[in-house]
Amino acid sequence: MFVVATAGHVDHGKSTLVRALTGMEPDRWAEERRRGMTIDLGFAWTTLPSGGTVAFVDVPGHERFVPNMLAGVGPVPAALIVVAADEGWMPQSAEHLAALDALGVAYGLLVVTRADLADPGPATAHARAEIAATSLGAVQAVAVSGLTGAGLPELRTALDRLAARLPAPAAHDPVRLWVDRSFTVRGSGTVVTGTLGAGRLRVGDELELAGADEPVRVRGLHALGEAQPEATAVARVAVNLRGTPRDRLGRGDALLTPGRFHHTDLVDVRLTGDPAADLPATLTLHVGSAAVPVRVRPLGPDTVRLRLARPLPLLVGDRALLRDPGRHHVAGGVRVLDVAPPPLARRGAAVARAQVLAELDGRPDLAGELRRRRLIQAGALIRMGVPVPAAPTAGGAETGVVVAGDWLADPAHWRRLGDQLTEEVARYTRDHPLEPGMPVDALRQRLALPDRVLVEALVRPPLRMHAGRVGAAGADALPEPVARAVRRVRAEYGDRPFRAPEADHLVDLGLGPREIGAAVRAGALLRLADNVVLLPDALDDAVRVLAGLPQPFTLSAARQALDTTRRVAVPLLELLDRRGATRRLPDDARIVVT
């Protein structure tokens, strides 16, 4: 199946043409049939000579219903531009063509209708000249009469040729189904319709309703009026949603592959129409089937920032259209350059931003996004529409791919962060010589990193991580004043390993609380309690002494065997109990555990 939208001035025979091609009535409303004028979108389909199927989105031609027209053409890849031979090029012909050009529609046909009423030559020549100056370029023209049927076989053949020219659909891309109708079917519940431009839908799929937190599930699918187990782009589809109230969604909403789209109310775009200086401050943005008021902030000669009245699921590279509803004309097309732009809070920020945007062309670029954003998670890039390798390799400092978890980094920025980390650790070591390195969280804050795993990934020799700190590989080495004090303890107490210096003597030795902490962390001293320290091999020596006592033994017997005081013996035995070297019995005696 391929999908084509009609376009053209009111009463130029678009619906008549669709009716003649398909045998179906595209005007769904009684009011439309009574007035003989299309008001809303109509849908019909037929089989082409090749055996393929074409589905038509028939749009209204009256200027009052241009928003409805835009909802129909927004998601489709091709257009059928209809001009009446007896009236020729008209105002809505021009506005519809401007809309197609703004949306970047590059495939289409010119159909000159009512060829039985006037010579189609002049209308054809004028229309082709107008169309040639747009994104559609040179198009084939077919003259027909919906009344007599003349030219319809040639039109069917031309539609087959058009279908063959269309690019292959992106069947593996995520689904973004813009809703153009929403209604209730008795016994089935809520049904929405739209043009599936990319991806694949299956019965049972879980989708995301744009702007809502809860998922929706596909209960049933219809295409070309028949139930289908799945539908593949490009296709007109009707989706029956399980358990979703009718009032939860309507035209302009979208059904999405979960987690694949960034919902944004702020975008930077490039204009393809009027220069930014000529744009009014408020316009309406048309994208997909949505029409959302926006505030316009000019940035550069052809770039603006749009503040949307409500978030939309937009991607880098999306084409959209700006329209001035007050003046009833297309203000210009836009190509989305950035769906997560930075704030413009400082003086000169807008000028600087315009310089950045001048280098963007709307094509997703992984290296460019990393260069601009420096650090970002892969999932965030994917939701922006930026492709990320399916199996990226580690080593971001060289390749700019994965640096930690799903974090990606610009290679130059990653190298700068590594240098800054080394400098911060060196500065911290100078300011805190008794600490075994800089805490990871402090480093994260100094480097303005969003995740501590990034700090860990930046650590390279000669630095190392230990116990939540980053320091030099030799960080366990004590500062000389502390090492000298420990040597004095060993000289004084080496032959009395279970005697602990008194608190005032520790101070005399130069061992205050911070120095003791550094020595304990380095394994140079063993802390039993506040201001009670022994040499580090005291535990093993104590077990050997206590094992030589008659078992079980008392605290008093242990104290005498160790030649120490109760101040040392009590915490020493408690530490041995905790480590499982000794076991305390109900009568407070102990045994050595062998």
Side-chain angles (χ1 to χ4, degrees), residues 269-337:
V269 303
R270 171 161 287 114
L271 297 166
T272 59
D274 295 341
D278 294 337
L279 289 179
T282 57
L283 291 168
T284 298
L285 179 73
H286 294 266
V287 57
S289 62
V292 178
V294 297
R295 293 194 62 83
V296 181
R297 178 175 181 176
L299 296 176
D302 63 347
T303 53
V304 299
R305 174 161 292 188
L306 302 179
R307 172 73 68 177
L308 284 61
R310 66 179 175 92
L312 290 177
L314 299 179
L315 301 173
V316 172
D318 276 345
R319 297 296 295 261
L321 178 148
L322 288 172
R323 185 170 185 268
D324 186 343
R327 296 167 59 191
H328 300 290
H329 84 113
V330 173
V334 301
R335 181 182 288 272
V336 176
L337 303 178

Side-chain angles (χ1 to χ4, degrees), residues 437-456:
M438 187 171 183
V440 169
D441 282 335
L443 260 176
R444 184 186 64 79
Q445 294 175 15
R446 292 290 297 176
L447 300 179
L449 294 174
D451 194 327
R452 62 179 290 147
V453 300
L454 294 168
V455 178
E456 298 169 5

Side-chain angles (χ1 to χ4, degrees), residues 434 497 500-501 506 511-539 567-568 570-576 578-579:
L434 298 181
L506 287 172
L511 291 172
R514 295 177 64 225
E515 289 78 10
I516 290 174
V520 169
R521 287 191 296 269
L525 291 177
L526 173 69
R527 191 201 306 269
L528 298 181
D530 290 342
N531 293 324
V532 180
V533 296
L534 299 177
L535 294 170
D537 48 3
L539 285 183
R567 168 175 169 265
V568 174
V570 170
L572 176 60
L573 290 175
E574 289 175 348
L575 179 57
L576 292 174
R578 290 195 298 274
R579 296 195 176 185

Side-chain angles (χ1 to χ4, degrees), residues 176-249:
R176 179 174 50 173
L177 181 69
W178 292 101
V179 174
D180 51 41
R181 290 178 65 206
S182 176
F183 52 92
T184 300
V185 175
R186 186 182 298 274
S188 296
T190 300
V191 176
V192 299
T193 66
T195 299
L196 181 63
R200 187 187 307 269
L201 277 176
R202 298 179 180 86
V203 173
D205 278 355
E206 184 176 279
L207 300 173
E208 176 182 299
L209 175 59
D213 294 331
E214 70 274 8
V216 296
R217 190 169 295 277
V218 177
R219 179 180 182 181
L221 277 173
H222 278 71
L224 305 179
E226 296 183 358
Q228 305 286 347
E230 69 175 36
T232 304
V234 173
R236 282 294 305 174
V237 294
V239 186
N240 181 200
L241 299 175
R242 187 188 306 277
T244 303
R246 160 69 181 82
D247 59 2
R248 290 299 306 278
L249 73 174

Side-chain angles (χ1 to χ4, degrees), residues 11 28 31 122-123 144 149 158 167 174 209 295 302 310 317 319 352 354 357 389 420 463 480 494 515 539 590:
D11 200 30
R28 296 177 291 113
E31 175 70 6
V144 303
L209 175 59
R295 293 194 62 83
D302 63 347
R310 66 179 175 92
R319 297 296 295 261
L357 296 178
Q420 186 181 352
L463 299 179
E480 180 52 33
E515 289 78 10
L539 285 183
R590 286 179 171 82

Side-chain angles (χ1 to χ4, degrees), residues 255 263 337 408 446 476 573:
L255 297 178
H263 297 78
L337 303 178
L408 283 71
R446 292 290 297 176
D476 290 343
L573 290 175

